[in-house]
Amino acid sequence: MKNIFKYIFICIATFLLVNCAIKKNTLPPNVAIDDTPKKVKTTTNEKFIDQSRADFNLFEDTKPERKWVDSIYSNMTFDEKLGQLFMIAGYSNRDSIHFNAVDKLVKEYKVGGIIFFQGGPVRQANLTNRFQAKAKTPLFIGNDAEWGLSMRLDSTYSYPWNMTLGAVQDLKLIEQMGTQMAQETKRMGIHFNFAPVIDINTNPRNPIIGSRSFGEDKLKVTERAIALMKGVQNEGIFSTGKHFPGHGDTETDSHQTLPIIKFSKERLEDVEFYPYKKMFDLGLASVMVAHLNVPSLETRENYPSSISYNIVTNVLKKELGFKGLIFTDALNMKGASNFKKPGEIDLEAFLAGNDILLFAEDVPTAMEKFRQAYNDTLITPERLEYSVKKILKYKYKAGLNHYKPINTENLYADLNKPINNSLQYKLYESAITVLKNKDSILPIKDLTRSKIAYVKIGDNPDNTFLLTLKKYAEVTEVSHFDLDSLNVELKKYNTVIIGLHKSDKLWRKYEFTEKEQLWVQKIAENNNVILDVFAKPYVMLPVKSFDDIEGLVLTYQNNEIAQNVSAELIFGAIEAKGKIPVTINNFFIQGDGLSTKKINRLGFSTPENVGMNSEILSNIEGVAYKAILGKMTPGIQVLVARKGKVVYQKSFGYHTYKKEVKVKNSDIYDVASLTKIIATLPNIMQEYDAGKINLDTNLGKMVPQTIGTDKDSIKLKDLLSHYARLKAWIPFYKSTLDSSKMPLKKFYQKSYSDNFKLQVSENLFLRNDYNDTILKTIVNSKLNDKKEYVYSDFTFILLKEYLERENKKTLDKLSEENFFSKLGMNNTMYNPLQKFDMSVIPPTEIDNYFRHTTIQGYVHDMAAAMQGGVAGHAGLFSNSMDIAKMMQLYLNKGNYGGIQYFSEKTFNDFNTCYFCAEGNRRALGFDKPDLNKQNPVSASSFGHTGFTGIMTWADPETEIIYVFMSNRTFPDANATNQLSKQNIREDIQKIIQQSIIKE
């Protein structure tokens, strides 16, 4: 009996199998069916999808997933199933007519998803919530975010283009970019990022791919595409590889027409398919099929690949074994819409094997076509179930089984986090490529001999590049409408930096015009030129020769961070690491890129890149404005650097309380007593380093005028520690005034002459011999009875005498030659009006007791003014950037820009507190932390303050430099120092310390 039942069962099963086979054979040849092999997998040791971090497991079903999918599917009507196949277009920058039309398609036609285009993040989030609320089955939300949400949305972050990433050799950075992009995408309620573009751009004339590609080498394109995919998909966002079967060698744009790919199938399998095959093995979620004419894969003439059964089903699904979701490219594109009408093209795409029909233009018509095709058995129940259930599975994997609306609170901040800029700096530091470096012109090393001009070529902004160049050296922008006149002007310089600045909008068409090429060529023929190209590599294709260009830098894009980093490279703050991802004629081949030497000059970055919290640092602004609103100072500059990188540089307020001139980072302030450690002290340290003096050297040996006096035996160590019993100061100016506090004519006159050369203010000149009187007064002054710490200007007035006698040069020239010119401190000098306009120098006082004028551009300190503005204790003018350079030299223990100015031992000797046990906190010349207070900085830290409202501090343990500049003495220097009383500078220093991220 059992055998009879067994026989009957076999017969029935055989009948069913044969019947199904006959049924399948009756279908038209170009109808896709679900006969994809269930397990098509290439063995690999690589694992780019870290399942421990992923929010989904791409292809393996789970029991809860199957249960949810089956439940949703079984309760769907036929039309609801059809609706899942369509992803319609949405725009958050349109009006209510558009929004209502989308509402209708969602509510009545049950479309499965929306691809958003132009608009803004909050508007799009609100619309997403609106449309999702109307959807019976939660919608897929898709977005083209190849370089971030900014590809479609305003007020969002723009990451580098793929071509720029093609130059990056550190794939972990690209993965991190994918991670951050995915986090922003997820925050917007988006499930699909239609990226990466994995087209291999072998045609430099490609009008639509170009910089959207990682380059022309299949291996390098694949590596970068996998890295980006890994970052995206590990955050639970689906990546979409595009544009299959390969859009990299086209000469037309599929948005406008149907491009042709003339390669053989063998070539396509070897090159264009390569990244797809590797990414399929590693879990790529979806593929977008392009509208291309590929005769080697589709024999029908001018038949778009997106609706080709052979390409979508036979090649992509069967031969390549792809199991993920398949999207058409947008069906409104001319490459498809020119072939068939809306509705018809949708049906053809589905029959070819696509799962989701992107940018369907006429859903009602399309659904009617689908119904007819179903009735005519062109579409089988199994085919419909195959795609719809696959879509539902992905919706489950995306978490749409527990859909939650987007919270729009803090949305803008969440999409524009400080870490974005941090990564951007790292990416450009890795991408920027040096293609020529004749005679090692890069980096520019000798700032003393370099006379640098800058010429801008192109029609896009260059502000940040030029400003950053000027932070390193004296760079003069030279421009002229006439080429010959320009070259005449450039004869004054020995190095010319040319910036080629083109639009940073990828879609904008631009070129290196013939006129621009001619100008670069003629400038290069007559000068040592560094050409920096802020544009895609292909812009260089028309150039006939690079022979006359000494240095060639390819920066790829023209944004602020790119410009900043490129200037860093030119001056050696970073090394060159990038490799060009495409070939430029016979000049440069893919993979070319020279390395350059990094020299320890200050660079620029973000707080997070040096272990600091930018949100905490932002609290500096509140303290600064507290000071300004409290009229403690009209304006402020603040700079913070760590680990050799400036990470915070801002200016606040105005030059005066009239609020007429805003403070800029480049403005120069009277730094008062900072002169001691910026000008005099480093020169003394060089003397010490050379063995000319030591800590026990007597003052009598250094300043002969003190021989035989009570100051003769003062040792250098005591002198620099303010422990030499010298008086704090003497108001020398008072003895030169009459009873009404006006300058006496025997000492002053209102105009310059041979005997009155010492200018103390705009219209006041002092007798030449009065400096001798100042020195004599100091020498004859009585020492204090008690040996204790007394801060005295006399120390540095006397040391100036020593330095000038020993070197036979004035202190201003000595400082310029030994330090300022070499360090690139081109905004630091005595008597700044000899070089700078008064408009860049905030005033320090309205003087009504000595000079009876507004003090602006002349040193505030009276004794320094009476020495012609050049003194050892005061007189220097500078800005925060220049002060930071000297402080970095100290942190580097005597080295900066590859030059050793004095030995590490010398710095350590001078940064030692020799009398701390006696209650004197001072090191040699440097101020140190207060011994009687709990300090936020380490005991090894050092710095100085200035009477005009200045402070700088450096901490070797945290590698932090802090510079605070102000003109708190304006308008009344004799008013109570509220800046000090309110601890403004100290409070900012505390914020800086608090911002350090504990490792």
Side-chain angles (χ1 to χ4, degrees):
M1 195 73 177
K2 287 182 180 178
N3 289 334
I4 294 173
F5 281 119
K6 185 176 181 181
Y7 175 77
I8 294 171
F9 175 79
I10 292 171
C11 289
I12 293 171
T14 304
F15 171 78
L16 290 173
L17 286 170
V18 171
N19 188 52
C20 288
I22 293 171
K23 198 169 189 178
K24 286 180 182 177
N25 288 335
T26 62
L27 293 175
N30 292 328
V31 176
I33 55 177
D34 182 15
D35 58 353
T36 304
K38 295 301 178 186
K39 289 190 177 181
V40 179
K41 186 173 182 180
T42 303
T43 303
T44 175
N45 293 323
E46 297 174 296
K47 184 180 179 184
F48 286 88
I49 303 301
D50 183 353
Q51 296 296 344
S52 66
R53 287 181 54 213
D55 292 341
F56 54 88
N57 187 326
L58 281 180
F59 300 123
E60 294 180 15
D61 297 347
T62 63
K63 188 174 180 180
E65 176 184 307
R66 288 194 297 272
K67 183 178 179 181
W68 185 83
V69 170
D70 290 342
S71 171
I72 297 295
Y73 187 81
S74 63
N75 286 294
M76 280 181 165
T77 66
F78 177 72
D79 281 1
E80 287 172 347
K81 293 172 185 177
L82 290 182
Q84 289 300 302
L85 306 175
F86 297 94
M87 183 173 270
I88 60 172
Y91 297 80
S92 60
N93 65 348
R94 292 191 179 177
D95 58 18
S96 59
I97 296 174
H98 170 70
F99 304 153
N100 292 336
V102 175
D103 281 341
K104 184 176 181 180
L105 290 172
V106 171
K107 194 170 183 180
E108 296 183 15
Y109 292 89
K110 305 297 188 293
V111 294
I114 298 172
I115 174 174
F116 274 103
F117 289 89
Q118 284 73 26
V122 176
R123 288 172 288 164
Q124 180 172 310
N126 287 329
L127 282 176
T128 299
N129 289 342
R130 168 176 167 170
F131 299 145
Q132 290 282 24
K134 296 179 185 298
K136 181 179 178 182
T137 303
L139 299 163
F140 267 149
I141 304 298
N143 188 234
D144 287 306
E146 295 169 21
W147 53 89
L149 294 171
S150 66
M151 183 172 174
R152 297 300 186 210
L153 299 178
D154 60 37
S155 307
T156 55
Y157 201 79
S158 182
Y159 293 94
W161 305 330
N162 282 356
M163 185 67 74
T164 306
L165 299 179
V168 174
Q169 303 306 299
D170 185 349
L171 299 180
K172 284 292 181 183
L173 291 176
I174 299 174
E175 182 184 340
Q176 185 182 343
M177 176 176 149
T179 299
Q180 290 181 200
M181 289 199 312
Q183 290 168 351
E184 293 159 19
T185 303
K186 184 185 290 186
R187 183 68 179 84
M188 283 294 298
I190 295 168
H191 313 106
F192 279 90
N193 180 0
F194 295 122
V197 172
I198 52 179
D199 300 316
I200 297 160
N201 205 75
T202 50
N203 186 346
R205 306 292 179 186
N206 194 318
I208 189 58
I209 303 301
S211 288
R212 297 168 69 195
S213 167
F214 291 108
E216 67 183 40
D217 180 84
K218 67 178 184 181
L219 297 175
K220 293 177 181 177
V221 167
T222 303
E223 289 173 344
R224 283 149 185 80
I226 288 172
L228 198 69
M229 176 190 75
K230 179 182 177 183
V232 171
Q233 294 197 167
N234 278 345
E235 291 298 318
I237 299 299
F238 300 124
S239 280
T240 306
K242 62 185 186 184
H243 307 84
F244 188 83
H247 209 318
D249 198 336
T250 60
E251 295 187 358
T252 54
D253 178 2
S254 54
H255 292 83
Q256 309 300 328
T257 187
L258 184 66
I260 185 168
I261 301 291
K262 298 178 180 179
F263 296 131
S264 68
K265 185 176 181 181
E266 291 72 26
R267 149 67 196 238
L268 291 170
E269 288 176 337
D270 180 51
V271 179
E272 277 71 19
F273 293 177
Y274 183 84
Y276 289 97
K277 289 186 281 189
K278 291 294 182 183
M279 294 175 78
F280 293 169
D281 290 344
L282 300 170
L284 178 65
S286 59
V287 166
M288 181 181 289
V289 183
H291 311 305
L292 301 169
N293 176 15
V294 192
S296 64
L297 300 181
E298 173 54 67
T299 57
R300 285 170 289 185
E301 189 175 350
N302 296 322
Y303 202 84
S305 51
S306 54
I307 59 174
S308 165
Y309 177 86
N310 193 55
I311 291 173
V312 179
T313 296
N314 288 339
V315 176
L316 178 57
K317 295 170 72 176
K318 294 182 179 180
E319 293 179 20
L320 298 180
F322 183 59
K323 298 183 290 183
L325 276 176
I326 302 174
F327 290 81
T328 66
D329 206 341
L331 293 175
N332 71 320
M333 295 167 60
K334 300 299 183 184
S337 62
N338 283 350
F339 189 79
K340 284 186 179 289
K341 296 178 181 178
E344 294 176 354
I345 195 74
D346 307 70
L347 176 60
E348 291 295 324
F350 183 71
L351 294 177
N354 293 284
D355 297 306
I356 296 182
L357 313 169
L358 198 63
F359 206 139
E361 292 189 276
D362 188 346
V363 172
T365 299
M367 290 183 72
E368 183 57 40
K369 297 286 184 184
F370 273 69
R371 291 188 200 100
Q372 184 178 338
Y374 188 84
N375 292 333
D376 293 341
T377 69
L378 283 173
I379 300 175
T380 66
E382 294 82 5
R383 171 68 185 93
L384 184 61
E385 180 180 359
Y386 170 69
S387 283
V388 175
K389 280 195 171 182
K390 193 198 293 188
I391 291 166
L392 292 175
K393 286 177 184 179
Y394 272 71
K395 288 192 174 184
Y396 182 92
K397 296 175 195 296
L400 285 172
N401 56 316
H402 296 297
Y403 165 73
K404 291 181 181 179
I406 304 164
N407 180 2
T408 57
E409 186 177 354
N410 298 321
L411 183 60
Y412 175 82
D414 290 343
L415 298 177
N416 295 276
K417 292 180 179 178
I419 57 170
N420 294 356
N421 280 342
S422 301
L423 177 60
Q424 191 91 309
Y425 267 99
K426 291 178 181 179
L427 287 166
Y428 279 104
E429 287 169 1
S430 297
I432 297 176
T433 307
V434 172
L435 293 170
K436 280 198 73 177
N437 193 17
K438 185 179 178 182
D439 299 327
S440 297
I441 193 172
L442 294 166
I444 297 174
K445 302 177 191 70
D446 189 344
L447 302 183
T448 303
R449 296 180 182 178
S450 297
K451 194 163 174 55
I452 305 168
Y454 167 73
V455 177
K456 179 196 174 186
I457 301 286
D459 54 3
N460 229 247
D462 64 339
N463 302 0
T464 300
F465 184 54
L466 182 56
L467 285 173
T468 308
L469 290 175
K470 288 183 174 182
K471 289 179 181 180
Y472 285 103
E474 188 136 358
V475 177
T476 305
E477 183 174 17
V478 179
S479 62
H480 207 286
F481 64 89
D482 177 69
L483 178 58
D484 292 335
S485 300
L486 177 65
N487 264 323
V488 169
E489 185 68 21
L490 291 175
K491 288 181 179 179
K492 301 175 185 176
Y493 305 89
N494 55 28
T495 302
V496 179
I497 299 171
I498 301 176
L500 176 62
H501 296 269
K502 295 293 182 176
S503 173
D504 206 43
K505 303 294 183 184
L506 187 140
W507 307 113
R508 185 171 296 177
K509 186 178 180 180
Y510 60 80
E511 58 184 12
F512 198 173
T513 67
E514 290 186 8
K515 179 182 177 182
E516 290 167 346
Q517 292 176 56
L518 176 64
W519 279 51
V520 170
Q521 176 191 336
K522 294 299 181 183
I523 294 171
E525 285 175 2
N526 298 289
N527 300 276
N528 289 322
V529 163
I530 297 169
L531 173 62
D532 201 331
V533 179
F534 293 90
K536 59 188 177 185
Y538 294 131
V539 80
M540 298 186 291
L541 284 172
V543 178
K544 295 179 176 60
S545 173
F546 292 92
D547 289 348
D548 291 321
I549 293 172
E550 281 70 27
L552 179 58
V553 181
L554 178 58
T555 302
Y556 297 95
Q557 292 182 239
N558 191 39
N559 54 62
E560 288 188 6
I561 291 179
Q563 291 183 25
N564 218 331
V565 174
S566 199
E568 287 185 87
L569 185 146
I570 287 173
F571 284 100
I574 62 168
E575 59 188 318
K577 302 175 184 176
K579 306 291 183 184
I580 189 170
V582 293
T583 296
I584 305 300
N585 299 326
N586 295 320
F587 300 121
F588 312 109
I589 64 170
Q590 174 275 129
D592 279 354
L594 304 172
S595 59
T596 57
K597 185 179 180 183
K598 177 183 176 182
I599 52 180
N600 58 340
R601 288 189 176 126
L602 275 170
F604 302 90
S605 194
T606 62
E608 282 69 19
N609 279 345
V610 295
M612 300 178 80
N613 185 309
S614 56
E615 187 174 348
I616 294 175
L617 274 181
S618 68
N619 293 327
I620 290 173
E621 186 168 335
V623 179
Y625 279 115
K626 173 186 174 182
I628 292 166
L629 294 174
K631 295 203 169 179
M632 303 174 209
T633 178
I636 293 170
Q637 285 180 2
V638 178
L639 181 146
V640 181
R642 190 182 191 205
K643 298 181 179 180
K645 296 286 188 180
V646 176
V647 297
Y648 186 99
Q649 187 182 14
K650 289 190 177 182
S651 295
F652 310 93
Y654 297 80
H655 284 201
T656 71
Y657 292 113
K658 290 183 178 179
K659 299 183 178 181
E660 294 173 339
V661 181
K662 284 187 175 182
V663 178
K664 297 178 181 177
N665 289 337
S666 55
D667 289 342
I668 56 176
Y669 281 84
D670 179 340
V671 302
S673 286
L674 255 65
T675 302
K676 296 176 174 72
I677 67 166
I678 302 300
T680 312
L681 189 65
N683 282 296
I684 289 293
M685 293 170 82
Q686 282 196 338
E687 297 285 310
Y688 176 86
D689 202 60
K692 295 181 180 179
I693 53 177
N694 59 59
L695 299 188
D696 292 323
T697 300
N698 291 335
L699 185 58
K701 182 179 178 181
M702 298 174 69
V703 183
Q705 294 92 324
T706 64
I707 295 175
T709 71
D710 57 359
K711 297 168 186 64
D712 186 350
S713 61
I714 294 175
K715 297 187 183 303
L716 180 62
K717 181 166 67 175
D718 292 354
L719 192 67
L720 285 169
S721 300
H722 297 278
Y723 206 53
R725 296 168 56 206
L726 295 174
K727 298 289 184 187
W729 78 300
I730 295 174
F732 302 108
Y733 74 97
K734 287 187 176 181
S735 61
T736 67
L737 305 178
D738 62 20
S739 57
S740 60
K741 298 182 180 180
M742 297 300 291
L744 287 165
K745 290 184 178 179
K746 71 174 183 176
F747 295 113
Y748 301 94
Q749 64 181 32
K750 293 183 178 180
S751 59
Y752 175 93
S753 69
D754 289 342
N755 295 324
F756 289 80
K757 295 180 179 179
L758 301 176
Q759 190 170 13
V760 297
S761 65
E762 188 174 1
N763 297 306
L764 197 62
F765 295 82
L766 178 65
R767 266 173 31 186
N768 297 347
D769 61 356
Y770 201 81
N771 186 60
D772 296 335
T773 303
I774 291 174
L775 185 59
K776 186 176 180 181
T777 303
I778 292 172
V779 170
N780 292 336
S781 65
K782 289 186 64 176
L783 292 176
N784 294 325
D785 295 333
K786 187 178 179 182
K787 188 176 178 66
E788 61 182 355
Y789 164 58
V790 175
Y791 178 77
S792 175
D793 285 341
F794 293 175
T795 292
F796 287 87
I797 293 174
L798 292 167
L799 289 176
K800 177 210 173 203
E801 293 298 318
Y802 162 71
L803 288 168
E804 292 187 343
R805 182 182 62 82
E806 181 68 23
N807 293 282
K808 296 180 175 55
K809 292 177 183 177
T810 57
L811 181 58
D812 54 345
K813 292 180 179 178
L814 191 66
S815 299
E816 174 67 19
E817 291 175 10
N818 287 349
F819 292 95
F820 302 160
S821 63
K822 295 178 182 178
L823 289 166
M825 294 174 66
N826 42 293
N827 295 292
T828 302
M829 65 181 298
Y830 291 93
N831 293 316
L833 292 176
Q834 294 175 6
K835 176 181 176 181
F836 296 100
D837 188 84
M838 191 178 285
S839 63
V840 302
I841 309 172
T844 47
E845 184 183 19
I846 299 175
D847 182 339
N848 58 9
Y849 55 88
F850 171 30
R851 287 169 278 187
H852 300 277
T853 187
T854 297
I855 306 303
Q856 186 172 11
Y858 299 93
V859 60
H860 169 267
D861 184 272
M862 293 74 77
M866 296 171 77
Q867 291 182 289
V870 181
H873 69 292
L876 207 60
F877 285 72
S878 189
N879 59 26
S880 61
M881 186 69 212
D882 275 12
I883 297 298
K885 292 175 185 177
M886 182 63 78
M887 298 305 285
Q888 189 65 50
L889 182 151
Y890 287 138
L891 272 188
N892 295 343
K893 298 190 174 182
N895 191 288
Y896 189 89
I899 299 172
Q900 194 71 40
Y901 290 85
F902 44 77
S903 69
E904 182 176 336
K905 178 184 182 301
T906 292
F907 172 77
N908 290 336
D909 289 348
F910 276 68
N911 191 35
T912 297
C913 176
Y914 292 94
F915 302 104
C916 276
E918 289 80 7
N920 178 0
R921 70 175 188 261
R922 293 273 172 168
L924 302 186
F926 297 117
D927 198 359
K928 301 285 282 180
D930 195 319
L931 298 174
N932 300 314
K933 291 182 180 179
Q934 187 175 1
N935 297 294
V937 290
S938 74
S940 63
S941 68
F942 57 92
H944 216 285
T945 57
F947 181 78
T948 50
I950 311 294
M951 178 179 179
T952 188
W953 212 266
D955 192 336
E957 291 192 16
T958 58
E959 299 180 73
I960 281 178
I961 292 169
Y962 163 43
V963 185
F964 180 100
M965 312 285 273
S966 78
N967 55 333
R968 70 99 195 159
T969 50
F970 187 86
D972 183 2
N974 295 312
T976 302
N977 185 354
Q978 290 295 335
L979 197 73
S980 179
K981 278 198 166 189
Q982 298 278 345
N983 294 315
I984 296 299
R985 294 170 291 189
E986 293 79 4
D987 285 350
I988 290 177
Q989 191 170 39
K990 287 177 183 176
I991 290 170
I992 294 168
Q993 294 301 123
Q994 290 165 4
S995 75
I996 298 174
I997 300 169
K998 294 180 181 179
E999 297 179 359

